[in-house]
């Protein structure tokens, strides 16, 4: 795995209990998908990492290009074909005190790979979800290590035998516990606008490109829980889930429990981008 700028064996890693990531969740992270040994939308993920870092006033001590190369080498070193890279940067190691440590404290970067098959059955058949009140903080645009709200939401979904929790603030649907949410009604795609209430998903950006390519109009406007239940099609997106149809929300079956035609077209357009990457 990668620790700062060194590739080392997992067994040789030691991390401090005084790491601010461990003590406060004081750090940021990214997950980058790897198809056939190639990282998908790595530049966009790295850009978002630096944006998250800026927002929490953390300075990553490498250029974006150097970090990109380090991640490339990690994937090569681990001979990863299908899976993802996880990376996080914390504000470093210092005696526990809420305020930032001195400027001499170096951030701690770790990254490792995880092999995983693509969730093809979910893509094919769709998944069930539940509504969960969004109790997270007001900077959900930062990909922070503080994931307690997301963890509690996902656990609720898990206990309800569902794949994902669709979070809502009051009546307004925001996003999943680890995904973005979309609804399609009368040939128009709706999704929450990018502001402080949601993470601007990298897959979301790809989805919007796919919509443009297939000629599906997009309205970046929030919808309500009630509207979600009346959509013709609903789906979610994330780096690891890609484009996953939603066929049930609470007790309401969407589109007779079958992934819809537009969702299928978006999946196909997405697939073409994956194929292009692996042909390079
Ligand atoms: N929202 C949240 C809360 C997430 O955790 C994720 C997954 N990282 C997403 C949206 C989707 O983002 P991406 O497409 O970049 O994986």
């Amino acid at each position: 795995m990668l620790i700062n700028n060194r590739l080392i064996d997992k067994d040789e890693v030691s991390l401090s209990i005084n790491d601010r990531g461990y003590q406060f969740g004081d750090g940021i992270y990214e997950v980058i998908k790897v198809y056939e040994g190639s990282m998908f939308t790595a530049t966009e993920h790295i850009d978002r990492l630096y944006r998250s870092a800026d927002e929490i006033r953390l300075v990553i001590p490498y250029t974006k290009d150097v970090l990109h190369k380090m991640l490339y080498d990690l994937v090569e070193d681990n001979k990863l074909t299908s899976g993802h890279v996880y990376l996080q940067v914390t504000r470093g190691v210092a005696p526990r005190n809420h305020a930032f440590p001195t400027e001499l404290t170096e951030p701690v970067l770790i990254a490792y790979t995880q092999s995983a098959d693509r969730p093809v059955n979910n893509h094919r058949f769709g998944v069930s979800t539940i509504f969960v009140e969004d109790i997270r903080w007001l900077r959900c645009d930062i990909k922070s290590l503080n994931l307690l709200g997301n963890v509690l939401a996902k656990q609720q979904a898990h206990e309800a035998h569902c794949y994902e929790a669709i979070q809502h603030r009051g009546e307004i649907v925001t996003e999943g516990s680890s995904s973005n949410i979309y609804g399609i009604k009368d040939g128009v795609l709706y999704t929450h606008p990018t502001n402080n209430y949601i993470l601007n998903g990298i897959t979301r950006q790809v989805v919007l490109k796919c919509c443009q390519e297939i000629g599906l109009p997009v309205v970046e406007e929030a919808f309500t829980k009630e509207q979600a239940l009346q959509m013709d099609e609903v789906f979610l997106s994330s780096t690891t889930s890609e484009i996953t149809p939603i066929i049930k929300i609470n007790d309401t079956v969407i589109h007779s429990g079958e992934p819809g035609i537009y969702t299928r077209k978006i999946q196909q357009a997405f697939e073409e981008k994956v194929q292009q990457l692996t042909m390079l």
Side-chain angles (χ1 to χ4, degrees):
M1 64 185 278
L2 190 64
I3 299 267
N4 297 322
N5 52 4
R6 286 193 314 134
L7 275 174
I8 60 173
D9 201 86
K10 256 192 179 132
D11 300 333
E12 288 168 27
V13 174
S14 83
L15 291 165
S16 171
I17 59 153
N18 278 329
D19 190 299
R20 291 179 63 92
Y22 183 59
Q23 297 276 357
F24 298 110
D26 185 1
I28 48 165
Y29 76 106
E30 279 296 328
V31 178
I32 305 174
K33 185 86 180 173
V34 173
Y35 298 101
E36 309 270 339
S38 298
M39 288 186 287
F40 186 61
T41 53
T43 307
E44 289 81 353
H45 281 282
I46 291 168
D47 283 349
R48 186 173 65 183
L49 182 79
Y50 280 75
R51 179 193 179 271
S52 294
D54 270 356
E55 293 296 326
I56 68 162
R57 295 160 60 192
L58 189 160
V59 181
I60 299 173
Y62 314 102
T63 64
K64 290 180 182 179
D65 287 346
V66 166
L67 178 61
H68 201 141
K69 174 75 169 62
M70 279 162 27
L71 298 177
Y72 177 90
D73 290 345
L74 174 72
V75 171
E76 290 280 299
D77 195 59
N78 290 356
K79 300 182 176 57
L80 180 68
T81 47
S82 174
H84 57 260
V85 176
Y86 174 84
L87 75 144
Q88 68 169 49
V89 188
T90 73
R91 207 181 302 277
V93 176
R96 189 175 185 280
N97 178 16
H98 286 56
F100 291 177
T102 67
E103 270 139 41
L104 298 176
T105 305
E106 292 275 328
V108 174
L109 179 147
I110 65 136
Y112 59 83
T113 59
Q114 175 82 53
S115 71
D117 292 332
R118 295 178 66 185
V120 286
N121 279 336
N122 289 348
H123 295 166
R124 213 161 136 199
F125 301 113
V127 297
S128 297
T129 61
I130 54 165
F131 282 133
V132 173
E133 182 69 42
D134 192 341
I135 60 163
R136 300 171 304 158
W137 72 330
L138 298 175
R139 290 305 308 274
C140 300
D141 56 310
I142 300 172
K143 202 162 169 58
S144 139
L145 293 178
N146 281 278
L147 288 172
L148 201 43
N150 312 59
V151 165
L152 292 174
K154 186 73 97 189
Q155 181 61 18
Q156 247 180 281
H158 182 71
E159 286 170 6
H161 305 289
C162 286
Y163 181 74
E164 180 59 303
I166 300 183
Q167 301 178 102
H168 54 90
R169 288 192 193 263
E171 288 307 304
I172 299 293
V173 170
T174 50
E175 63 178 343
S177 70
S178 61
S179 61
N180 292 112
I181 303 288
Y182 313 77
I184 300 168
K185 184 77 183 167
D186 299 331
V188 178
L189 180 135
Y190 297 87
T191 195
H192 197 288
T194 48
N195 58 20
N196 59 307
Y197 293 118
I198 69 158
L199 184 75
N200 186 2
I202 302 302
T203 323
R204 180 186 183 280
Q205 295 164 30
V206 177
V207 165
L208 298 190
K209 266 191 217 137
C210 291
C211 289
Q212 209 172 23
E213 285 169 18
I214 64 170
L216 178 63
V218 171
V219 176
E220 292 184 68
E221 258 174 40
F223 48 85
T224 64
K225 286 165 70 186
E226 200 48 49
Q227 286 169 324
L229 298 175
Q230 279 155 22
M231 292 288 180
D232 300 328
E233 302 179 31
V234 183
F235 69 92
L236 61 82
S237 78
S238 81
T239 296
T240 50
S241 297
E242 307 176 4
I243 319 291
T244 299
I246 292 175
I247 53 163
K248 204 169 169 208
I249 309 175
N250 289 357
D251 292 329
T252 303
V253 173
I254 311 289
H255 201 262
S256 319
E258 290 275 327
I261 181 84
Y262 287 113
T263 308
R264 288 289 186 228
K265 283 188 182 171
I266 295 165
Q267 284 180 321
Q268 268 164 23
F270 184 87
E271 201 56 41
E272 276 166 30
K273 297 192 190 306
V274 172
Q275 297 306 327
Q276 278 161 15
L277 172 81
T278 55
M279 273 162 32
L280 290 178

